[in-house]
Amino acid sequence: MLPPSPYISSGGGHADIGGGGGATASSDGGHESPAMQAFFAMRQRKNEHMMKRYTAALCGLVALFIVFHWTRWFFVKAERSWKPLATLGRPFVAIERSAKNLLVRKVPGFQSAGHALLVTAYVVANVAVGFTNVDDSSKANFASRFGWLALSNLGLVIFLALKNTPLAFLTAYSYERLNCLHRIAGYTMFIWMVLHASLYTTYFSEAGIIVTKFQDRSEIAAIVAGFSFLTVVLSATILRRIRYELFYVVHISSWILAIVALGIHRSDFAKKGIIVILLAASMWVLDRLIRITRVLYYSLNNEATLYPLPDGGTKVIFKKTPARAVAGKHCFIWIPAVRKFETHPFTIHKTNSVEFTIKAQEGFTRDLYHHALANPGISVRASLDGPYGTFPDPMDYDKIVLIAGGGGATFTFGLVANILERLHDEPHKNITFIWTVKKHENLAWFKEHLETMKNHAHSPKVDVSIYVTRSPVVSLHHRHLPHIHGHSLLHHAQPRTSESSSGGSLPPLSGDSGRSGSPSTEKVPQLPLPTHSHQHRNHTSSALSEKDLEDGGGGLPVVSHHGNAADHSTGTESHAHPHRAHGYEHAIRPGRPDMATLIRQAVVGLPSSQRVLVAACGPDGLMHVVRDTTARLVQRDGPGVELHCEQFGW
């Protein structure tokens, strides 16, 4: 079904039946006449030329992001180290802030206005290439062009799906942030493929050679490829939302079948379509080889210790720490005792011994929790692939505002740990930590981190606000909490070692099930709000429901530290005096916070010389409020504000 497929007679030549845009059929039993050969050669050259222009346009778009990223990086560094150069960069900074104020905002159907603009440019480029310089005398000519566009977009789809993408370094956009573009490119490629197949089928039928065509080996392969790609798309649009693990198996197996069938359909190197197919397949295979190599390497002398947590959580602590592991990034973990042929992504929130906290939902996470519950403290064979993910270096900012809803706390606790490990005597730096959870019991999941934020040498710089939206706040004493490594988290669990039930099984090549209890990451440029008086603003749009605050990650805890942002907060629905959780010394407020007000209070009034990082992780409703509020805080004469969003689901 993909690239140009001229009509083939029973003798194997190209049948010249009207598809030549005026060329006539030869009388030699179906072989191409010189006129038809010249026409096909001209059409091939036109298609190749337009595909080169399309590829150049995509490369130019990527280059634009690369140049912008590194130019911005240069001026930010210069502003801190060499003031004269910073003065030269002020026009760039002013333009960037004005653009961010608009581009970071939420747009219906898209993650942000910037995302909508990028998708629009991509679609316009596709339509322009699809209908430019095409001989409109025959449906076959449009079918040929659409086939080439489908093939070109196939290469883009695979490039955007790579876990080990070079764009993570070149643009600071790692694979999980590119996933939405991967899906859009996939849908676009499928539409071109359907148009290609439909037009050629109609043309063959009108020419009376449809039966002959469908007996040809390459056309049979095209049909197989077409239905395989249909399965890929249906699994992404339907199955992915229902059963992620089943979706992944169907998605990958259908893709492999499709790419093999496509190679058979366009096997002629002279037509060059097979080159694109081999390039796409090679990128995918290389990425898989890199990942399986990491899993094999980190499986040597490695194991994970499992601890069950209250309310369906599991703490997983690895013996070996992967290179470049940073709290806040994520790894794919492989535990064959639970699932032999699957890896699943979770956020790192501690690195001196890599630690993950995972909320039990469906599939792997549920089985992992049951395994830990039946064998508390068990050590099992395990491995890692990663770390993955990119986010701004928090040490480059004077003010860090961390916001989490439910299970998004795995990311924000990781960032706090990252910052406190590297923080020195820098009086201008401070952190605002806001967390909303459903149940008070979940506080035990991060008890050690909460204690660190209270007792660390730099704890006066951390302002923690915790909101429990459902459960009444009750006293929690250390003795009531389970123990883990002497840190009160697991009841009477004596660590013990057990052989993995996988025996000598090899690590999986994939199994990228959704990051349950840990967010999928989607970062966005930074953009804040205006500094008008809040008293005259209507805050109804920022009032979050419990579902907005907690859904998606399954309810992890939230706590409140020294009072600044929290104590001034006019944004909580409940104005009751904050309770103290015995053993934590953090103020815990019942009810739902007015998140927009809390963000404004943390940012408004800061001098223009300071830089602010707003990092959030949680469900869609929370992310919407964070985006729009932060976008309005980005002003040309205000502090430099950066927004980074990690979001549930892929």
Side-chain angles (χ1 to χ4, degrees):
M1 288 185 186
L2 283 169
S5 185
Y7 319 118
I8 304 174
S9 70
S10 57
H14 289 72
D16 306 332
I17 309 178
T24 56
S26 64
S27 59
D28 60 354
H31 292 288
E32 296 170 356
S33 66
M36 183 60 75
Q37 290 177 354
F39 171 78
F40 283 142
M42 176 62 71
R43 188 172 74 179
Q44 177 79 7
R45 286 195 296 271
K46 285 182 179 181
N47 287 334
E48 289 180 13
H49 175 69
M50 292 306 296
M51 292 311 107
K52 288 176 182 177
R53 294 180 65 177
Y54 177 63
T55 302
L58 293 179
C59 291
L61 191 59
V62 173
L64 192 63
F65 276 85
I66 294 173
V67 170
F68 176 82
H69 169 69
W70 289 104
T71 302
R72 183 172 169 277
W73 176 88
F74 174 77
F75 281 120
V76 166
K77 295 294 184 184
E79 185 178 14
R80 298 244 159 180
S81 58
W82 192 27
K83 295 299 180 184
L85 189 57
T87 303
L88 296 176
R90 281 175 187 168
F92 173 83
V93 172
I95 294 171
E96 182 219 12
R97 291 185 180 182
S98 299
K100 282 196 298 183
N101 186 285
L102 299 173
L103 298 179
V104 170
R105 298 172 189 248
K106 177 69 175 177
V107 171
F110 297 93
Q111 294 175 352
S112 67
H115 180 234
L117 184 63
L118 180 61
V119 171
T120 300
Y122 169 70
V123 171
V124 168
N126 270 270
V127 173
V129 172
F131 292 92
T132 299
N133 199 19
V134 181
D135 184 346
D136 61 2
S137 62
S138 170
K139 297 184 183 73
N141 298 327
F142 284 101
S144 174
R145 175 62 57 82
F146 297 163
W148 273 102
L149 265 173
L151 197 58
S152 297
N153 279 293
L154 175 65
L156 178 63
V157 169
I158 301 308
F159 180 71
L160 292 173
L162 300 177
K163 296 291 187 293
N164 299 282
T165 173
L167 295 180
F169 169 74
L170 295 174
T171 66
Y173 281 82
S174 56
Y175 81 91
E176 71 280 3
R177 296 180 65 190
L178 298 170
N179 186 262
C180 58
L181 301 179
H182 161 73
R183 295 199 296 268
I184 290 169
Y187 296 141
T188 304
M189 173 255 171
F190 183 73
I191 290 170
W192 287 127
M193 187 201 74
V194 170
L195 291 173
H196 166 78
S198 300
L199 287 174
Y200 261 140
T201 300
T202 301
Y203 181 76
F204 292 151
S205 180
E206 291 173 352
I209 60 170
I210 188 72
V211 175
T212 302
K213 292 296 296 179
F214 285 169
Q215 291 175 349
D216 186 80
R217 175 174 173 268
S218 70
E219 301 307 320
I220 294 172
I223 294 171
V224 173
F227 279 101
S228 297
F229 280 122
L230 175 63
T231 305
V232 169
V233 171
L234 290 178
S235 68
T237 53
I238 300 173
L239 200 56
R240 179 175 172 269
R241 300 178 181 273
I242 303 171
R243 291 288 302 275
Y244 192 95
E245 291 168 338
L246 180 59
F247 146 75
Y248 192 83
V249 172
V250 172
H251 199 70
I252 296 301
S253 58
S254 298
W255 142 253
I256 293 173
L257 178 60
I259 202 71
V260 171
L262 193 57
I264 296 172
H265 175 55
R266 302 308 303 157
S267 57
D268 186 357
F269 275 90
K271 297 296 178 63
K272 300 183 181 178
I274 187 64
I275 297 174
V276 180
I277 297 167
L278 290 175
L279 179 62
S282 298
M283 286 191 295
W284 187 80
V285 170
L286 178 61
D287 186 61
R288 293 283 149 172
L289 288 175
I290 293 172
R291 296 183 62 197
I292 190 61
T293 300
R294 280 206 201 99
V295 173
L296 287 169
Y297 176 77
Y298 288 118
S299 68
L300 300 175
N301 193 32
N302 200 3
E303 60 184 22
T305 305
L306 312 179
Y307 300 96
L309 301 174
D311 197 37
T314 307
K315 187 173 290 291
V316 181
I317 303 174
F318 276 79
K319 179 180 176 181
K320 291 176 68 174
T321 300
R324 300 176 295 106
V326 176
K329 292 192 175 187
H330 66 274
C331 287
F332 289 82
I333 69 174
W334 176 60
I335 302 179
V338 180
R339 295 290 176 88
K340 291 184 180 180
F341 304 107
E342 296 177 8
T343 61
H344 298 257
F346 300 100
T347 301
I348 303 168
H349 59 78
K350 189 177 177 183
T351 54
N352 49 8
S353 57
V354 176
E355 187 175 299
F356 305 88
T357 297
I358 301 167
K359 171 68 177 178
Q361 295 184 9
E362 296 294 330
F364 171 80
T365 56
R366 179 190 56 203
D367 293 347
L368 177 67
Y369 173 69
H370 289 160
H371 192 77
L373 197 62
N375 308 277
I378 190 173
S379 293
V380 296
R381 182 186 177 199
S383 189
L384 296 157
D385 170 31
Y388 295 103
T390 57
F391 51 82
D393 185 351
M395 301 309 293
D396 289 338
Y397 299 85
D398 305 291
K399 175 83 174 185
I400 301 103
V401 182
L402 303 177
I403 303 162
T410 55
F411 172 71
T412 53
F413 273 117
L415 274 189
V416 166
N418 184 321
I419 297 167
L420 292 178
E421 285 175 3
R422 303 161 60 195
L423 199 60
H424 300 294
D425 294 329
E426 298 159 289
H428 61 284
K429 284 191 184 293
N430 65 86
I431 305 165
T432 295
F433 186 96
I434 306 169
W435 189 24
T436 62
V437 287
K438 294 178 184 178
K439 300 179 181 180
H440 190 272
E441 295 84 1
N442 294 132
L443 295 176
W445 290 22
F446 293 101
K447 182 178 187 301
E448 183 181 350
H449 293 77
L450 295 173
E451 289 179 342
T452 297
M453 285 196 292
K454 181 63 184 178
N455 301 321
H456 194 276
H458 296 294
S459 63
K461 299 178 181 179
V462 185
D463 186 11
V464 184
S465 298
I466 303 174
Y467 296 87
V468 180
T469 61
R470 293 187 182 179
S471 302
V473 178
V474 296
S475 294
L476 273 183
H477 294 276
H478 282 227
R479 65 178 180 274
H480 293 154
L481 296 172
H483 271 277
I484 284 187
H485 290 209
H487 292 298
S488 307
L489 268 177
L490 180 68
H491 290 293
H492 56 270
Q494 297 300 322
R496 57 195 180 89
T497 304
S498 170
E499 281 295 323
S500 165
S501 62
S502 67
S505 64
L506 288 175
L509 284 171
S510 64
D512 308 347
S513 300
R515 286 165 70 183
S516 165
S518 107
S520 75
T521 52
E522 178 263 334
K523 299 183 196 166
V524 185
Q526 52 288 359
L527 290 179
L529 326 165
T531 57
H532 327 340
S533 169
H534 312 319
Q535 286 82 352
H536 304 295
R537 296 185 64 88
N538 180 356
H539 298 311
T540 55
S541 64
S542 65
L544 297 173
S545 66
E546 291 180 11
K547 178 178 176 60
D548 289 332
L549 292 169
E550 300 147 4
D551 281 2
L556 298 182
V558 185
V559 188
S560 194
H561 217 22
H562 318 305
N564 296 354
D567 291 341
H568 305 329
S569 171
T570 58
T572 40
E573 286 191 4
S574 171
H575 299 289
H577 191 279
H579 298 270
R580 292 283 171 181
H582 301 298
Y584 293 119
E585 295 299 327
H586 292 294
I588 301 176
R589 290 172 167 75
R592 300 190 298 268
D594 183 339
M595 198 62 72
T597 297
L598 294 178
I599 295 171
R600 281 192 291 267
Q601 289 174 343
V603 176
V604 171
L606 294 176
S608 60
S609 60
Q610 291 201 348
R611 300 189 70 219
V612 182
L613 172 64
V614 178
C617 181
D620 290 340
L622 176 62
M623 294 296 98
H624 189 170
V625 172
V626 172
R627 278 181 185 281
D628 286 352
T629 304
T630 307
R632 295 188 186 98
L633 289 170
V634 176
Q635 298 183 1
R636 298 179 66 166
D637 57 350
V641 181
E642 179 93 13
L643 173 64
H644 174 78
C645 292
E646 299 267 334
Q647 203 146 349
F648 290 134
W650 291 113

